[in-house]
Amino acid sequence: MSLVARHLESVGIPTVVIGSAHDIVHEVGVARFVFVDVPLGNPCGPPDDPRTQESVVELALQLAVSAIAPRTVVQAPVTWPSDEWRDVYMRVGSSATTSRSGTGNRSNMRTFGQPTRRPSSQRGQAQSSSP
Amino acid sequence: MKRTTTDDETRISVTHRTPVSYIDKSREFYAAQGYPTPYRWAANVGAPFTPVTGPLTDMTVAIVTTAFPVEARGPKRAYAQACEPFPAAMATDDLSWDKDATHTDDVATFLPLRHVRSLATRHVVGELGPRFYGVPTEYSRRRTELDARQVEQWVREDGVDLVLLVPL
């Protein structure tokens, strides 16, 4: 998505990225970025909190006109009720638990991963999505 | 994250380094599944920049999402869809997001059409464009570039002045 933003900027169309994967957007490099530090899935803010969501969008609009240089990043003042998700998401841990996000035991995951291993030419393309 | 308030300020004491590094997490996660070569993310030092000229109140805004319509079938391709009526649901199950911590039942958390409309009603911004756009998360830069050019064409057709890109 950040590459799409870069293209639009390069042809004269201003953009703002709203997202929660700070490191990925930072590495790609975009003109304007509103960082929302919540679990992936709700980049405009928590579900059922329309006031917060709208404030994030308004912040993005204000950033569009206030930024004077590329790579301008603003962090939205949004918090999540707990920090547990920071550890749990995609965790490769020692417990045998699994979850919808795929957390779980390292050795078990090797077993699960074995049948779906791709040829070496396709390795490194395992993810189904990227922010 | 624990908040404590003093007389004149709010302090936040953290127990985790923030922000989360998804590059590190995905590398470790997929290495444990037998993918020894990490995905290589695009990295750039600089970034193209187009200054905004004119007031927000004159601008037409469009949104780009990585989610797809529930009724979409077949291989994912970039799409444009009328904003009205606002979609009540979008297909997100095949995307990578934190399915343990949250949900995507509230479409406005990732496709904020109604919020842009509301801000237009409040005269913060001009108006919401007639269509929103979707792009698949691709690992081919060539295909991403083609998608980007397609979005550019739709943006120009719709008279859009400012684009908000909102990946899940």
Side-chain angles (χ1 to χ4, degrees):
Chain A
M1 187 69 104
S2 296
L3 293 173
V4 177
R6 288 176 61 91
H7 172 79
L8 295 176
E9 291 280 346
S10 72
V11 295
I13 300 167
T15 65
V16 183
V17 174
I18 302 174
S20 299
H22 186 288
D23 61 331
I24 295 171
V25 177
H26 172 78
E27 292 297 339
V28 178
V30 298
R32 307 169 190 82
F33 175 39
V34 172
F35 171 53
V36 186
D37 194 15
V38 299
L40 296 181
N42 307 132
C44 295
D48 306 314
D49 186 352
R51 286 186 61 183
T52 296
Q53 296 162 18
E54 186 167 312
S55 73
V56 168
V57 176
E58 184 168 4
L59 181 62
L61 296 173
Q62 299 295 348
L63 179 61
V65 293
S66 64
I68 59 171
R71 286 187 164 279
T72 301
V73 180
V74 171
Q75 180 165 350
V78 178
T79 58
W80 201 256
S82 86
D83 277 327
E84 186 182 13
W85 59 276
R86 299 180 191 278
D87 284 334
V88 172
Y89 183 70
M90 297 187 89
R91 176 167 59 192
V92 179
S94 56
S95 73
T97 59
T98 58
S99 71
R100 293 182 70 200
S101 292
T103 58
N105 179 277
R106 185 185 294 265
S107 59
N108 283 350
M109 282 203 295
R110 283 206 180 93
T111 304
F112 294 146
Q114 196 75 27
T116 58
R117 277 189 181 182
R118 301 178 185 186
S120 58
S121 61
Q122 296 178 26
R123 285 185 186 163
Q125 300 179 6
Q127 293 147 284
S128 61
S129 171
S130 68
Chain B
M1 197 175 292
K2 195 171 191 178
R3 288 180 177 276
T4 55
T5 304
T6 61
D7 288 344
D8 59 354
E9 64 180 340
T10 298
R11 295 180 188 276
I12 299 176
S13 56
V14 298
T15 55
H16 295 67
R17 185 176 72 87
T18 59
V20 169
S21 173
Y22 292 100
I23 294 175
D24 289 348
K25 278 184 176 286
S26 63
R27 182 187 63 248
E28 293 167 4
F29 182 81
Y30 287 104
Q33 293 191 71
Y35 297 97
T37 305
Y39 180 78
R40 292 187 176 276
W41 304 87
N44 298 281
V45 175
F49 183 76
T50 297
V52 169
T53 55
L56 268 179
T57 48
D58 288 347
M59 304 192 85
T60 298
V61 176
I63 296 171
V64 185
T65 180
T66 51
F68 273 63
V70 173
E71 59 273 14
R73 297 288 181 272
K76 285 187 172 181
R77 291 191 169 85
Y79 69 92
Q81 177 169 314
C83 291
E84 304 273 3
F86 296 151
M90 295 289 286
T92 61
D93 282 355
D94 62 331
L95 300 177
S96 292
W97 52 275
D98 195 335
K99 299 177 176 70
D100 296 306
T102 189
H103 63 80
T104 54
D105 296 343
D106 182 352
V107 172
T109 64
F110 61 90
L111 182 59
L113 299 172
R114 68 181 66 253
H115 297 314
V116 174
R117 171 62 53 78
S118 172
L119 290 161
T121 303
R122 289 172 44 203
H123 305 293
V124 174
V125 70
E127 62 179 354
L128 176 66
R131 297 186 291 183
F132 68 95
Y133 320 114
V135 293
T137 48
E138 291 282 359
Y139 291 93
S140 159
R141 292 193 195 173
R142 184 186 62 82
R143 290 197 56 178
T144 300
E145 182 65 21
L146 292 174
D147 290 342
R149 291 179 189 277
Q150 177 63 79
V151 171
E152 175 196 349
Q153 181 181 330
W154 287 327
V155 164
R156 296 196 189 285
E157 289 173 1
D158 292 345
V160 169
D161 304 299
L162 172 66
V163 178
L164 304 181
L165 300 103
V166 193
L168 261 75

